[in-house]
Every structure is written in C-alpha cells, then in structure tokens.
Amino acid sequence: MTLTAPTTTIRCPATALVCRNCGAEYPLTPIHACAACFGPLEVDYDQALLASVSREQIESGPTNLWRYVGFLPVGQVPESRISLNPGLTPLIAAPCLAAELGMNSVWVKDDSANPTHSFKDRVVSMAATAANGFGFRRLACASTGNLANSVAAHAARAGWESTVFIPSDLEPGKIVQTAVYGGRLVAVEGSYDDVNRLTSELQETDEFEDTAFVNQNVRPYYAEGSKTVGYELAEQLGWRIPAQVVIPVASGSLLTKVDKAFRELVAAGLVENTPWKIFGAQSSGCPPIATAFAEGADVVRPVKPTGIAKSLNIGNPADGPYALDAIRRTGGSIVHVGDAEIVEGIRILARTAGVFGETAGGVTVACLQKLLADGALDPAGETVILNTGDGLKTLDPVAEVVGPTVTIKPSLRSAREAGLLD
Ligand SMILES: *Cc1c(COP(=O)(O)O)cnc(C)c1O
Ligand SMILES: [Zn+2]
C-alpha cells in the first residue's frame, strides 16, 4: 500500500478551433472569430479522447472543476492553471420551494459558493489558463459585473495586471468587489454592448496587443468553463441527468454549454441517455432571446437593456441562435419576467431554500413560476435551477422591501409590547 495518489497523465482533448457557422478549422490560438465568415469559433475535440474519460478518473481528481480536465481545453498540467479553483458548488435539495410551487422535486445549484461568488470563476479559470499557455500576462474584459469581479481576482492571484471595463451604472457592490483587487477598473458611460464594442476596438491597438480579453480573443476557451456546471449536476445526482434545468441567460453561453456537457457525458457513457429539457430565464428589461423564441424566429434582434437584473443585461447576445437551438432541440422554453417578479423571486428562494441569490437568481425563480403557469415545465419532473450569483452583490432592490420585523428596546416589557411573548 502506498499513500501517494497515482499520477495519471490526462491528455489534452482539444484539437482545433472550428467555426460554428461554416465549419472552417483553425489552430488553437487566441482568436475567436472566423476569418472567412466572422462566425464564432468553438473548441473542437478528439471525440475518442472525450469518450475515454471515466468516472474513476473524475472522482479521484481535485474537489473543484479541474476534476473534469479530461473534458476541458486547457489545464492538463496542474502548474499551468491560473485559477481560484472554483466549482463543485453545492447542489441543494429544496423541498420547501418544491412544495410552494406545487412541484415534486427541485434542486438549487448554488454557484454563489464560488470564490468570487458567481459562476464566472469557472469561465475565467479557463480563459486565464489559456492566456497563460499563449504567453499573456495581462487580463482584460468587458463585464456586466460578475466577470469583472472574477477577472480582477484571478489577475491578483496570478500577480498579473488587469484592466476591467464596466458600464458606469453598475451596482455599487460589484464595483467595490472588483476595485478591491487592485487592478485598473474603467467605468464606461454606456451599456454593456457599448463597453463590449469599445473593448473589441481596444484589442486591436498596440497597447492591448499583449492582453488576453477573457470574453473576446480567448472566448472559445472561456466558454468551455461553463460545461463544468453540467458535469457537476450529473455527478452530484449520482451520475444521471436531470429532466429539466432552468438557466439564467445573458449571452446564452452558459445555457448552450450545459446542454453540450450533457451530450458529452452521454457520449462518454458516464450517464444513461435519458431525455432532458433546457429552459432559459431572462428579464423583461432585456429579453432578446425569449422574444425570438416566442416569435419562432431564428434571428435574435438586439435590444437596449433596462431593469435591475444587470448581470444579464446583454442586449446583443453572442450565443443567441445557439441558445435557441438548444432550447428548441430539447423541447424546453425561454420566458422573461419583470423587476417586481424578480425581487419576489429572490425572496421566495431565500425564504424556501435558505439561498440568497442575486437578481439573476430572482429571474430564474420567477421564470420557473412562469414556465409552470404556461405548462411548459412539468411540475412532476425533476428540476434543477441555477443560482449563478450571490445576493450580497445586489442588495439594493431587496433592501427596499425587507427589513427588521419590529424594532424594540432591550427590555422584556418592550418585547411583550411588540407581541413577542404572545
Ligand atoms: C454572466 C452571468 C450569467 C449568464 O451568462 P451567459 O453570458 O449567458 O453565459 C448568468 N448569471 C449571472 C449571475 C452572470 O453573471
Ligand atoms: Zn466561418
């Protein structure tokens, strides 16, 4: 018997970048758009290598997202990882939430438990590790808030520089949580889509030539990090796929990658091929994909975002058509809810599951209710909802409607007068 863990070398399964639009192939470099048709590039894999990933390999790996490295494009050499080691966040049974909504079985996947308190640590771990491999030592991004937190923190941990661009009207909590890590934080007077356009232009300048923009030049690698949510759901349920998953949508990347993860798990024989349905959740202040779905359209028309769910406020979603495809192909749906319903969704999740989600979590719960009311989601089917960020990041909308039940003097008499002894 030896106490040292067996060292197994896991080969990198990524083989190329491939255009999702025309299928053109490119080497694994820091590019994200097809030179022929401007379509988005995606990492392509050696399917036989993906199919050889075993449960044993995963279960003997680290207790974070790197246990799935056999399915990932980067990080096979542990020393190469630039990562806060997020992942393996709690999957919480929520029977009181299920009872409140008249459902059989609901789980909350709580990604607020990640190091910077949102699911974005997953994608930044991939982007920063890819950047490291390409020789970059500076990170940048355009962010709706959570990405800013994660990029600044990853750069701080690595001892790298960061330049983070945000819309200037972001929530104070998200601004502080980014600024505290000490990188450059640039507030831009405009929407996220304006910020994103600016960073695309900056990326072409000499000053930013040696910078990895996590959701631009290294976006194909970034996006693969979202697959780890899907692997975790299956593993945490005892290696099976839930029947229904409700996912908050900004660019649509997370939603498409959860579906992709399930397909990879089936192909690898790690789970049975049981059917699943993918549902999307948007806010009425920014519902471009839900609108296209409702109209039966394939093209997603950009909108000008408004409303409190700022982390989801991408008016021109890069993965819109692919999100629509995953939703339609699996028999799911995508709906949107207004600000008052979002605040109520936050409160329901907190009151029935003990999970305080940010506005995106409120969007997800409120959309779950709407999907049930529409008859699109089966109340008897096992359902997972994703809480992708922490409520402490977006206190303001909730602070307006909750507070102390009563304020009393420190005496029994005062307690009695307040009815606490009745
Ligand atoms: C970024 C983000 C999402 C979804 O992002 P996609 O761009 O659709 O991948 C969901 N929830 C929160 C809290 C986010 O910050
Ligand atoms: Zn192309």
Side-chain angles (χ1 to χ4, degrees):
M1 275 286 283
T2 164
L3 289 177
T4 34
T7 43
T8 47
T9 331
I10 294 169
R11 279 173 58 198
C12 178
T15 54
L17 295 177
V18 62
C19 175
R20 284 157 94 181
N21 190 37
C22 77
E25 279 202 18
Y26 299 87
L28 293 161
T29 52
I31 54 170
H32 71 299
C34 176
C37 76
F38 303 109
L41 301 181
E42 184 174 42
V43 176
D44 202 17
Y45 294 96
D46 176 334
Q47 297 302 323
L49 264 187
L50 289 191
S52 73
V53 176
S54 68
R55 288 186 192 176
E56 294 67 34
Q57 184 195 101
I58 292 168
E59 286 164 353
S60 65
T63 53
N64 56 54
L65 55 62
W66 294 112
R67 67 204 276 105
Y68 307 106
V69 74
F71 287 122
L72 298 173
V74 293
Q76 281 70 30
V77 178
E79 295 70 33
S80 72
R81 297 173 191 161
I82 301 292
S83 177
L84 304 181
N85 299 323
L88 229 55
T89 55
L91 181 66
I92 300 163
C96 300
L97 176 59
E100 170 117 0
L101 301 182
M103 300 177 69
N104 276 4
S105 165
V106 180
W107 300 87
V108 181
K109 176 65 169 166
D110 189 11
D111 254 16
S112 71
N114 278 319
T116 72
H117 312 285
S118 87
F119 106 91
K120 290 298 196 299
D121 290 327
R122 299 177 183 274
V123 284
V124 176
S125 286
M126 295 307 128
T129 299
N132 193 29
F134 294 132
F136 293 107
R137 293 294 177 269
R138 299 165 75 194
L139 296 180
C141 69
S143 172
T144 57
N146 287 313
L147 189 61
N149 296 172
S150 186
V151 166
H154 276 81
R157 180 77 57 91
W160 291 6
E161 284 173 27
S162 65
T163 312
V164 165
F165 296 86
I166 53 168
S168 57
D169 70 348
L170 218 54
E171 298 96 338
K174 289 196 175 144
I175 294 176
V176 173
Q177 283 190 59
T178 304
V180 74
Y181 296 112
R184 273 201 292 192
L185 176 60
V186 183
V188 179
E189 292 169 355
S191 69
Y192 169 80
D193 301 282
D194 296 324
V195 178
N196 196 46
R197 209 175 314 116
L198 173 64
T199 53
S200 319
E201 288 168 19
L202 285 169
Q203 194 184 283
E204 303 303 321
T205 64
D206 293 345
E207 288 75 12
F208 282 94
E209 191 181 54
D210 60 351
T211 298
F213 285 75
V214 302
N215 51 348
Q216 283 167 355
N217 55 2
V218 291
R219 184 175 176 90
Y221 312 92
Y222 160 103
E224 294 299 283
S226 292
K227 294 193 301 182
T228 59
V229 175
Y231 308 138
E232 288 179 22
L233 292 181
E235 185 180 0
Q236 289 172 316
L237 288 171
W239 294 112
R240 57 192 179 76
I241 294 179
Q244 310 179 111
V245 188
V246 187
I247 303 172
V249 170
S251 72
S253 180
L254 170 63
L255 182 145
T256 61
K257 296 300 175 176
V258 169
D259 176 66
K260 185 179 184 188
F262 289 169
R263 284 185 279 131
E264 288 175 349
L265 290 170
V266 169
L270 299 187
V271 294
E272 267 184 56
N273 190 7
T274 54
W276 65 86
K277 291 185 178 182
I278 301 283
F279 295 88
Q282 292 203 296
S283 95
S284 302
C286 183
I289 303 177
T291 303
F293 181 82
E295 291 172 350
D298 292 326
V299 176
V300 176
R301 273 182 289 113
V303 302
K304 198 172 167 9
T306 59
I308 59 170
K310 294 180 193 259
S311 58
L312 304 181
N313 277 353
I314 298 184
N316 189 9
D319 291 86
Y322 309 100
L324 282 173
D325 172 64
I327 292 163
R328 290 186 174 130
R329 179 168 34 76
T330 62
S333 177
I334 177 167
V335 292
H336 60 87
V337 289
D339 284 357
E341 295 165 284
I342 294 168
V343 172
E344 191 50 30
I346 293 174
R347 297 179 73 184
I348 292 172
L349 184 63
R351 177 161 54 73
T352 62
V355 173
F356 183 19
E358 71 147 81
T359 44
V363 169
T364 305
V365 172
C367 284
L368 170 62
Q369 291 177 288
K370 188 156 197 178
L371 290 162
L372 285 164
D374 288 355
L377 189 139
D378 177 7
E382 183 172 55
T383 304
V384 175
I385 63 172
L386 304 189
N387 179 50
T388 45
D390 195 318
L392 294 175
K393 291 180 183 236
T394 59
L395 283 176
D396 284 0
V398 194
E400 286 168 17
V401 294
V402 299
T405 310
V406 63
T407 303
I408 64 170
K409 296 202 169 55
S411 71
L412 275 180
R413 184 168 147 213
S414 190
R416 186 171 296 115
E417 278 166 9
L420 294 179
L421 301 178
D422 294 351

